[in-house]
Amino acid sequence: MQLRYNYRAYPDAAQRGALARAFGCARVVWNDCLRDRREAHAAGLPYVTSAELSRLRITQAKRTTERAWLADVSAVVLQQSLRDLDAAYKNFFDSIKGRRRGRKVAPPRYKSKKDTRQSIHLNTNAFSLRDDGTVYVAKVGHLKVKWSRRLPAAPTSVTVTQDSAGRYFLSFVVDTAPDILPDVETEAGIDLGLSAFAVLSNGSRIESPRFLRRAEKKLKRLQRELSRKQKGSKNRAKARSRVARQHAKVADRRRDWHHQASTQIIRDNQAVYVEDLAVSGLGRTRLAKSVHDAGWSAFTRMLQYKAARHGRTFAKVGRAFPSSQVCSACGFRDGPKPLHVREWTCSQCGTVHDRDHNAARNVLVEGRRIVAAGRAETPNASWSAGKTRAKVPAQRGEAGSPRKGQTAQAGIPGLQAREHVKIQPWRRSL
């Protein structure tokens, strides 16, 4: 299966300038190729092939006065930008033809230098890991990297990104075998919520840390300072950067907490079942800020890929399942209940239920039924058995071929003796 490993990079002034040129050139190639295909479609002409675009917008464009600066960056950056455009078109076509599951994918859009995220995609021809712990990127130099953990295998590609806070990251895609954990006897149904982030079927509660709410006071002050700055001024750019850094801190804290909680749940349970919530719909209600602060979708995705990696069973219970209406003791459906009702008594058997705990127990029962019917991923399914690769947001096709004698090495020599970062368990409260 494929996994991503992200590391913080610290380029110097010259390297930041080289990366800015690479971001700009990749963006120009993307926009030029996208424009050609859109104009061809509007004129009723055939779809412009990648080979034709590569010849016109990369090879020949370098020889013109207007695009001569494309030669200042690695050719792999430009080719990969075109391949990323091909992947975006493929996802769009597969979506409208019904070959891609999930929400509909929009057609590719033009990129802007004002986008909050700038990135370039490189294969093994254009980067390599050095013995001194740096990462060499073609026509950029040796980037200093903060290695929080070693890579389990040689990376097949890397994505260099700059976020809205001005930070740089290296995202390596690594082919690795599943890390199967020892079997355990317990299973868990999870009910996600706002008052408590998650309630497990065994009665354990995970309280919501509310990272955005805790940082809201400082964010409001920074946002007021930003609104007072004149548009286009350097002071406004500085204020915008301060707001972006504060939002990045909130997102980092939430992501780290999600990783700790999801890892602990996967380690403690052989099977995990969670309700498939309509997050996009809830994000348009009066509870939108609290819903986005909780980050249910990101947490569920972590549970899914970690279950596949560690040989656990994972299943989603349909959002139409009435988990809060059914009595987990006798199975009687007692009807819908307003959100302020946190405890209720079954009119059939008289059992007093905590709303969230009862829903988690019902999710557990329904999840077991789904797995028994063969409609969920199990340890014998494709992802856990390694028959196919797990889904990752990385392009599979690589441009070019590896250079002889210059393949990327697995791990960093200075970190070979280090263990992986230990994840602290989250606290339980019954």
Side-chain angles (χ1 to χ4, degrees):
M1 62 186 303
Q2 285 188 326
L3 296 176
R4 278 192 180 273
Y5 285 78
N6 294 318
Y7 302 92
R8 180 81 179 270
Y10 297 90
D12 55 29
Q15 292 171 344
R16 288 196 296 270
L19 286 173
R21 288 190 294 272
F23 295 149
C25 291
R27 183 175 62 249
V28 166
V29 169
W30 171 287
N31 290 341
D32 288 347
C33 296
L34 178 58
R35 186 179 300 107
D36 288 347
R37 285 180 172 171
R38 284 190 174 184
E39 291 176 352
H41 179 266
L45 300 176
Y47 183 79
V48 185
T49 63
S50 300
E52 182 68 13
L53 289 176
S54 178
R55 182 180 64 85
L56 291 175
R57 294 304 180 183
I58 298 179
T59 305
Q60 293 185 3
K62 292 180 181 179
R63 302 169 185 168
T64 63
T65 305
E66 296 80 7
R67 294 285 191 265
W69 35 264
L70 289 176
D72 296 339
V73 302
S74 172
V76 176
V77 172
L78 308 181
Q79 292 291 342
Q80 285 296 140
S81 181
L82 177 55
R83 286 180 176 266
D84 290 342
L85 179 63
D86 292 338
Y89 265 109
K90 183 180 184 302
N91 292 336
F92 169 63
F93 293 144
D94 290 346
S95 179
I96 61 178
K97 292 179 181 179
R99 292 197 294 260
R100 180 185 174 93
R101 294 185 300 176
R103 299 178 63 181
K104 295 297 183 182
V105 177
R109 65 167 183 85
Y110 291 112
K111 293 185 177 181
S112 171
K113 63 180 180 181
K114 295 183 180 180
D115 289 341
T116 57
R117 181 179 180 272
Q118 303 290 334
S119 65
I120 54 174
H121 187 203
L122 306 168
N123 63 2
T124 52
N125 287 345
F127 80 96
S128 61
L129 308 183
R130 300 301 188 182
D131 294 339
D132 58 356
T134 61
V135 176
Y136 173 75
V137 177
K139 293 194 176 182
V140 174
H142 295 79
L143 296 178
K144 181 181 177 182
V145 181
K146 182 66 174 180
W147 297 101
S148 56
R149 51 182 174 173
R150 65 181 181 87
L151 291 170
T156 59
S157 66
V158 64
T159 302
V160 185
T161 61
Q162 181 188 16
D163 64 6
S164 58
R167 304 179 301 175
Y168 294 85
F169 294 92
L170 299 181
S171 178
F172 297 96
V173 177
V174 177
D175 287 317
T176 181
D179 181 17
I180 307 301
L181 293 175
D183 292 345
V184 294
E185 299 295 331
T186 56
E187 297 181 352
I190 303 176
D191 177 69
L192 300 175
L194 296 178
S195 57
F197 176 78
V199 177
L200 277 63
S201 54
N202 61 1
S204 300
R205 299 176 65 90
I206 306 176
E207 298 301 329
S208 179
R210 305 176 188 269
F211 293 106
L212 180 60
R213 296 290 187 180
R214 287 158 54 182
E216 202 168 22
K217 183 177 180 181
K218 185 173 183 180
L219 280 170
K220 287 182 179 179
R221 177 177 59 81
L222 294 176
Q223 193 66 47
R224 284 196 301 268
E225 294 175 358
L226 173 62
S227 65
R228 297 189 182 113
K229 300 297 185 292
Q230 184 179 358
K231 291 185 178 181
S233 65
K234 292 185 178 179
N235 285 335
R236 185 177 179 87
K238 294 178 182 177
R240 185 211 60 79
S241 180
R242 287 193 290 269
V243 174
R245 286 198 297 268
Q246 185 63 24
H247 276 291
K249 288 181 180 179
V250 173
D252 290 344
R253 291 166 183 164
R254 183 188 299 114
R255 187 183 306 110
D256 177 70
W257 186 83
H258 280 168
H259 274 296
Q260 294 187 34
S262 59
T263 299
Q264 193 65 40
I265 291 174
I266 292 298
R267 286 177 176 174
D268 292 346
N269 298 279
Q270 185 65 30
V272 177
Y273 312 109
V274 63
E275 190 174 7
D276 184 18
L277 298 174
V279 178
S280 59
L282 293 171
R284 294 191 294 268
T285 65
R286 61 184 180 86
L287 301 174
K289 183 179 292 187
S290 297
V291 170
H292 292 308
D293 190 13
W296 294 328
S297 296
F299 180 74
T300 303
R301 287 194 298 269
M302 289 181 186
L303 288 174
Q304 186 172 10
Y305 90 79
K306 290 179 182 181
R309 183 187 182 190
H310 298 301
R312 302 305 201 200
T313 299
F314 176 84
K316 286 184 178 180
V317 175
R319 62 190 61 173
F321 176 70
S323 59
S324 298
Q325 303 179 23
V326 177
C327 173
S328 59
C330 66
F332 177 74
R333 185 167 179 174
D334 213 4
K337 299 163 185 64
L339 287 177
H340 69 271
V341 177
R342 311 311 303 172
E343 192 174 276
W344 57 281
T345 303
C346 177
S347 59
Q348 185 73 12
C349 64
T351 304
V352 179
H353 293 292
D354 175 82
R355 180 193 184 103
D356 298 330
H357 184 206
N358 177 74
R361 294 179 61 182
N362 287 328
V363 168
L364 174 63
V365 175
E366 178 66 10
R368 287 172 174 171
R369 187 191 66 80
I370 292 174
V371 171
R375 294 190 286 117
E377 293 291 343
T378 65
N380 294 325
S382 58
W383 287 6
S384 299
K387 298 177 183 177
T388 60
R389 292 179 176 180
K391 298 178 181 179
V392 293
Q395 181 177 334
R396 302 296 174 84
E398 303 288 356
S401 58
R403 293 174 292 180
K404 295 182 179 180
Q406 296 190 19
T407 57
Q409 299 298 319
I412 297 300
L415 297 177
Q416 295 295 336
R418 292 181 57 181
E419 298 292 336
H420 287 283
V421 177
K422 294 183 178 180
I423 300 177
Q424 298 295 332
W426 44 267
R427 295 183 177 179
R428 301 181 183 179
S429 58
L430 297 179

